[in-house]
Amino acid sequence: MNKFKILIFAGIFGVSIWYLIVSNHQSVQVAEARYGGIRDSGTGNVRVHATSSYELRSQSQAFVSQVASLPMTKPIKVDANQTLLQLATDDLDRQLEGLLLEEKQFAQRLEVGSVLALQLKVEEKDLNALEKQFDLGHGALFELERKRNQVERLRAQVELENLDSEHFMQNMAFRKQSLAAELHKRKILSPIDGVFSSSLAYPGKMVFPGNPVGSVHSHDKIFEVSLSEEDCERLAEGMPAAISLFSSRGTILPARVDALASSVNPESGMRKIYLSSKEGNNVPVGSSGRAEIIIKESNETLIVPAHALLGDYVLVERNGKIEHRKVTIGSRNLKTVEILNGLNPKDRVVVETPHLFKSGDRITPSLVRFKD
């Protein structure tokens, strides 16, 4: 009877120990290595810039009379040479009226004619008569010389009068050109076809020379990507790329590499890559996100989730027990890694916090499937 009780007690104790051991096994997600497609790519952060950007500044001092878009309103599309901001021109309009009046009055005086010119014609006729009489032996020489001097003075006065008229016309043309230039400054035009993205002025506001009044961006955008120096070594112009912006999650913009910066930031070790996208012209300037530059694509190759890697090792689960396995890595991206050696299809690797385990640890595997 005592032996029977001891056996029962030992059985219960063994079951309890087994239950404690099993219950202490952590449930961990694992995934099976399988064949699939993978893109070998470099990824980095994206910042969107316009290919052309202009900060508009006032060149004159005046009150604003009209604007194409008020502050704090949505951006608008504009054409090159479209008026974006008009400053008041009342003072300049009055100056122009005054100039035109001066020009009209001067033209009227010219139409009436010159008194000096008329007097010169009369004196020249008298001089011709005196010279003929003198040639015939009549008249005194001093009378002839006096008349000649008088005619010369009148000719000089008429020449000066003509110069004054010419100078007046030149000065008038210069004043009109200066006034036209000042009127032009009172009108701020769009330098390009693009988007009037921000307005800083409103009707009635006084602006001064040099004050910013808004900005215009081109429709075309360029996507600046920051990549590690190591990733950039494998890149070249013309490579395909894909852009995902935080402002439009789920939308992937196809792109291509246009240029690689000629220098690397020595502090961060990052290099700038510039992408273009025909479908990205409507993206707001300043948007951010992630970009993937596709170096090559492989199909039907052995892959595992990228977060299963620990350097060049993975944790393989077999019968609830973990073992470290060294692997040879091929292509990789943010989601998956190509395994060239070290794993077989159907091998199950730990994909949940693999850095927390060591060889020999026991786990309760929970199988999950991953996407390419």
Side-chain angles (χ1 to χ4, degrees):
M1 187 67 179
N2 289 334
K3 289 182 179 180
F4 180 72
K5 289 181 178 180
I6 292 173
L7 289 174
I8 293 175
F9 178 77
I12 294 174
F13 180 76
V15 170
S16 300
I17 295 298
W18 175 84
Y19 176 78
L20 288 173
I21 293 174
V22 171
S23 63
N24 284 331
H25 289 178
Q26 185 176 348
S27 179
V28 178
Q29 291 183 348
V30 297
E32 288 184 345
R34 63 177 177 82
Y35 287 105
I38 186 172
R39 287 178 171 178
D40 187 6
S41 60
T43 60
N45 295 325
V46 172
R47 180 69 64 181
V48 181
H49 303 280
T51 55
S52 300
S53 294
Y54 295 86
E55 184 181 49
L56 306 176
R57 291 181 178 272
S58 174
Q59 299 182 37
S60 183
Q61 176 179 337
F63 287 103
V64 177
S65 60
Q66 292 180 340
V67 290
S69 178
L70 292 172
M72 308 300 292
T73 56
K74 68 179 183 179
I76 61 171
K77 291 183 178 181
V78 295
D79 299 324
N81 297 319
Q82 178 179 336
T83 300
L84 303 182
L85 186 140
Q86 177 67 62
L87 302 183
T89 60
D90 299 8
D91 55 332
L92 301 181
D93 292 338
R94 286 192 295 272
Q95 291 182 41
L96 180 58
E97 289 178 4
L99 287 179
L100 295 176
L101 180 60
E102 283 187 55
E103 192 174 39
K104 180 180 178 181
Q105 292 171 346
F106 180 76
Q108 289 173 339
R109 289 197 299 271
L110 289 180
E111 187 176 353
V112 170
S114 169
V115 175
L116 286 175
L118 292 174
Q119 185 180 354
L120 175 60
K121 287 183 179 180
V122 173
E123 296 298 334
E124 284 178 336
K125 288 181 179 180
D126 289 345
L127 176 61
N128 288 333
L130 284 175
E131 287 176 338
K132 288 178 180 179
Q133 291 180 3
F134 187 80
D135 291 339
L136 295 173
H138 303 292
L141 180 60
F142 77 92
E143 287 290 341
L144 180 60
E145 291 298 329
R146 185 181 62 81
K147 182 61 70 175
R148 284 174 176 172
N149 289 336
Q150 186 178 6
V151 169
E152 288 299 322
R153 284 196 302 271
L154 284 173
R155 284 173 178 170
Q157 289 175 343
V158 170
E159 182 66 23
L160 289 173
E161 190 177 67
N162 290 335
L163 286 174
D164 287 341
S165 297
E166 184 179 346
H167 293 166
F168 177 87
M169 294 301 295
Q170 290 174 348
N171 289 332
M172 177 62 68
F174 176 76
R175 291 164 66 188
K176 289 171 70 175
Q177 289 174 0
S178 298
L179 190 56
E182 188 60 32
L183 282 167
H184 182 72
K185 291 179 182 178
R186 299 286 178 94
K187 184 182 291 186
I188 298 177
L189 309 177
S190 175
I192 57 171
D193 292 339
V195 176
F196 188 26
S197 60
S198 65
S199 174
L200 304 176
Y202 50 85
K205 180 181 179 179
M206 171 66 79
V207 295
F208 299 90
N211 282 172
V213 294
S215 57
V216 174
H217 301 301
S218 63
H219 294 300
D220 295 336
K221 304 298 189 303
I222 190 164
F223 299 82
E224 179 189 78
V225 185
S226 298
L227 290 175
S228 67
E229 184 178 2
E230 180 181 356
D231 282 341
C232 289
E233 290 180 356
R234 303 183 296 162
L235 303 185
E237 294 180 8
M239 283 185 170
I243 300 168
S244 174
L245 299 174
F246 298 139
S247 58
S248 55
R249 291 186 179 275
T251 301
I252 303 297
L253 299 176
R256 66 184 295 276
V257 177
D258 268 359
L260 286 74
S262 58
S263 60
V264 177
N265 187 318
E267 296 180 358
S268 63
M270 305 298 283
R271 187 178 180 186
K272 302 293 186 182
I273 307 298
Y274 300 99
L275 311 180
S276 61
S277 173
K278 293 182 179 179
E279 299 180 16
N281 289 341
N282 294 325
V283 174
V285 172
S287 298
S288 58
R290 297 284 291 174
E292 182 180 42
I293 294 86
I294 303 163
I295 299 169
K296 68 174 184 178
E297 295 188 61
S298 301
N299 296 314
E300 293 305 308
T301 187
L302 192 63
I303 58 173
V304 297
H307 46 272
L309 280 181
L310 288 173
D312 54 356
Y313 283 84
V314 294
L315 301 186
V316 178
E317 179 273 328
R318 181 175 294 177
N319 299 323
K321 191 175 181 179
I322 286 176
E323 66 176 59
H324 276 70
R325 185 83 59 83
K326 188 171 184 177
V327 292
T328 303
I329 300 168
S331 300
R332 63 186 301 172
N333 55 41
L334 290 176
K335 292 183 178 180
T336 54
V337 177
E338 180 185 23
I339 304 299
L340 301 177
N341 280 304
L343 282 182
N344 297 310
K346 301 293 185 180
D347 281 350
R348 302 202 293 184
V349 297
V350 175
V351 296
E352 182 183 6
T353 61
H355 60 284
L356 298 181
F357 301 97
K358 60 182 183 297
S359 290
D361 285 351
R362 290 190 172 277
I363 61 170
T364 299
S366 175
L367 185 63
V368 294
R369 181 169 177 80
F370 64 97
K371 296 182 180 180
D372 294 3

